[in-house]
Amino acid sequence: MTRPGPAAGAVPPARLTPVPHTGPHAVPDAVPDAVPARPLVVVVGDVLLDRDVDGTVTRLAPDAPVPVVDVAQVRQSPGGAGLAALLCAPRADVVLVAPLADDADGEELRRQLADVTLVPLGHEGPTRRKTRVRSSGQSLVRVDEGGPGTPAGVTPETAEPVREALARCDAVLVADYGGGVTRDPLLRELLAETAGRVPLVWDPHPRGGPPVPAAALVTPNAAEAERAAGNLPDPPAGQDGHVPAVADVLRRAWAARSVGVTAGERGAFVAARPDGDDDGAPAVVRHLPARPVRGADPCGAGDRFAATAVDRLARGDTPADAVREAVAAASAWVASGGADGFRQARDAGPRAVVAEPDRPVTRAELGARLRATGGVLVATSGCFDLLHAGHVSMLTAARRLGDHLVVLLNSDRSVRRLKGPERPVVPLADRRRVLEGLECVDHVVVLDDDEPSAAVADLRPDIWAKGGDYTRSGLPEAAVVHAYGGRVVTLPRLDGRSTTGLVSQVRASDPANATIPPTMRRSS
């Protein structure tokens, strides 16, 4: 059952479709029907007011050799736990527990956090504010003000709304930004109690408190993990000081179910407690790679990572699967402009293409987003069944034509209609994963139509590229491309390579097991 969103300032009512949890370290293990469409996520942490001052520099100051910024625009929005809560909100009902100051910036934070339920705590000092001054997209300086932001007046009575929210939630995200929330004894006690019942994701900070025991997932970045491991009574050395080993060292030191150390463009390393293990033996550490992103702003990627991970854990994913989704989401976030791209999209209104990796993106939105980043958008299509050297050669050549390559991949139903009932040999999920693993491919979009004209009209690539076995007159989508001013490019074909040829070789070598009919339409 889907519940309406809670009114701002009120703790949501009791859960109508609770997710069962068992054991002191359990994550949800319910059947799919028991997982709510919108889980209740409680975000606990420190809130900041982030400000971006954009302008241009054309001269130096007369009194010092410093640039003069002519301000063109000022944007501000919640940062820290506030940003994490906003990122959770599209897919969950969110309660944000955080200190909020009674000043003008605090009121601005409350206004911008209207989409989540606030449980405010007392705040020591003025609102913490971080201002980045930039010229032509290049950061010149960051100015930090306010704080310290330590929670004030936290007593059993004032913390009762926190206890009530935690008692009803499906998952918790602790977004520590060093303000003091994670060092408060009473709040730590409540979080430790909750970690034994529901998945708790802890995004740490060097100035914060250590994760409470039984956290489902702790998400330090590589620098934070190495610093934390170095501060242990018996710090790791040699090979044990490398990031993968540190992940498991910290998992045991923190008594966590799992630790996922994020390592930028390398992705993440996940050490998860083996089922039934008592923390004594080392765990197998899994590496979950990220898609490389060029020339991007990583600000806010950690919040995007943690918000995605807590959403997936609330829906029953394992920590490793949650981290895999979180790595992909963080990469997409960075590619879409980071926190500033998110703020620009919010300010632009509901018609903007929002950098929300968890939400399905339409073909038109994808095209608009890629074009907005600049450069030439290239697209192609095909079945790509039994990916071979000819495919890779064509895709690599297509990518060299521009800055982004989108592949429209025929669905299994479409391939059967085009190639016959025995195709595809490789199912859609595997074909897509193989294509996404190619460095030359930026995005894969599933195509259920037999020919791509409608998809091309939505995506509107600057260049539509096809292999040399096609002619422009044989491409019905060519008219669509020309109509909006795009170009059609045919690429050289690598002779002697085709899926049909590979299938024929299999049939010839083992005719008893080869049931694929010899008559097929042209290879992809």
Side-chain angles (χ1 to χ4, degrees):
M1 180 180 297
T2 302
R3 297 176 291 105
V11 176
R15 299 292 294 157
L16 300 179
T17 54
V19 180
H21 306 276
T22 58
H25 306 292
V27 294
D29 192 25
V31 296
D33 288 344
V35 179
R38 289 180 61 83
L40 177 60
V41 173
V42 175
V43 178
V44 181
D46 310 291
V47 176
L48 323 169
L49 183 64
D50 282 342
R51 301 176 74 244
D52 287 306
V53 178
D54 290 338
T56 57
V57 173
T58 59
R59 64 195 188 281
L60 296 178
D63 55 340
V66 295
V68 175
V69 180
D70 292 314
V71 176
Q73 187 179 27
V74 177
R75 291 183 303 280
Q76 55 187 11
S77 68
L83 174 59
L86 291 177
L87 294 177
C88 290
R91 291 172 55 84
D93 294 331
V94 179
V95 176
L96 173 59
V97 178
L100 286 172
D102 292 325
D103 56 17
D105 289 336
E107 287 304 312
E108 177 64 18
L109 285 170
R110 288 176 171 85
R111 184 187 70 81
Q112 295 211 28
L113 289 166
D115 291 341
V116 306
T117 298
L118 292 178
V119 178
L121 305 173
H123 185 287
E124 185 177 336
T127 296
R128 297 171 67 193
R129 188 166 70 177
K130 296 183 181 294
T131 302
R132 290 196 304 175
V133 181
R134 303 188 304 179
S135 172
S136 301
Q138 175 64 51
S139 292
L140 302 179
V141 66
R142 195 184 88 178
V143 180
D144 291 1
E145 308 168 80
T150 307
V154 180
T155 66
E157 292 74 23
T158 60
E160 188 58 28
V162 182
R163 186 187 301 274
E164 292 175 359
L166 292 172
R168 290 192 288 269
C169 70
D170 296 301
V172 179
L173 170 58
V174 178
D176 188 357
Y177 272 77
V181 166
T182 60
R183 295 193 300 271
D184 184 90
L186 181 53
L187 295 177
R188 289 185 62 84
E189 179 183 339
L190 295 176
L191 291 171
E193 292 174 358
T194 306
R197 295 184 290 102
V198 300
L200 183 147
V201 175
W202 191 288
D203 191 11
H205 190 279
R207 295 194 301 273
V212 297
L217 176 65
V218 186
T219 62
N221 62 36
E224 292 166 345
E226 290 170 354
R227 184 183 296 112
N231 291 332
L232 294 175
D234 185 18
Q239 292 293 324
D240 289 338
H242 294 171
V243 170
V246 164
D248 194 48
V249 168
L250 292 176
R251 177 190 69 84
R252 286 177 281 168
W254 289 334
R257 176 182 173 87
S258 62
V259 169
V261 179
T262 58
E265 62 183 14
R266 289 187 291 163
F269 297 87
V270 182
R273 181 202 308 269
D275 292 337
D277 188 40
D278 61 358
D279 264 0
V284 175
V285 179
R286 301 181 62 180
H287 177 220
L288 302 172
R291 180 184 294 275
V293 177
R294 296 183 295 274
D297 182 359
C299 183
D303 298 298
R304 175 70 273 175
F305 181 94
T308 300
V310 75
D311 176 77
R312 298 315 309 172
L313 289 174
R315 297 171 188 275
D317 277 10
T318 66
D321 287 340
V323 170
R324 180 183 294 107
E325 291 291 323
V327 167
S331 295
W333 167 268
V334 173
S336 298
D340 186 51
F342 176 75
R343 285 190 280 274
Q344 290 189 49
R346 290 184 79 221
D347 291 345
R351 293 192 178 188
V353 181
V354 180
E356 189 54 56
D358 293 341
R359 176 180 61 82
V361 176
T362 67
R363 297 179 303 217
E365 287 175 334
L366 176 61
R369 179 183 299 175
L370 294 175
R371 286 190 295 274
T373 64
V376 175
L377 172 57
V378 184
T380 189
S381 69
C383 302
F384 299 100
D385 196 9
L386 291 179
L387 195 74
H388 53 72
H391 290 140
V392 175
S393 176
M394 188 274 287
L395 292 170
T396 302
R399 180 62 175 79
R400 292 195 186 110
L401 295 173
D403 303 281
H404 317 281
L405 176 60
V406 176
V407 176
L408 302 177
L409 176 64
N410 290 86
S411 68
D412 288 348
R413 288 179 296 181
S414 175
V415 175
R416 281 192 290 271
R417 291 192 296 265
L418 291 171
K419 306 290 187 178
E422 301 299 330
R423 297 281 295 275
V425 177
V426 179
L428 175 64
D430 288 353
R431 291 186 285 126
R432 180 171 190 167
R433 186 166 184 177
V434 169
L435 285 171
E436 289 175 338
L438 297 178
E439 185 177 0
C440 59
V441 175
D442 298 294
H443 298 275
V444 177
V445 176
V446 176
L447 179 66
D448 205 36
D449 299 330
D450 293 347
E451 63 94 9
S453 293
V456 170
D458 291 338
L459 191 64
R460 295 172 65 89
D462 301 297
I463 296 175
W464 178 248
K466 293 295 288 184
D469 54 342
Y470 292 88
T471 63
R472 297 189 186 188
S473 60
L475 295 173
E477 67 272 21
V480 176
V481 177
H482 293 147
Y484 64 75
R487 291 189 294 139
V488 176
V489 175
T490 57
L491 300 170
R493 178 180 180 178
L494 195 61
D495 291 334
R497 279 81 167 181
S498 73
T499 300
T500 301
L502 290 173
V503 172
S504 298
Q505 292 177 29
V506 173
R507 295 179 70 249
S509 62
D510 191 3
N513 292 329
T515 59
I516 300 175
T519 55
M520 303 179 183
R521 293 188 63 176
R522 58 192 179 188
S523 63
S524 61

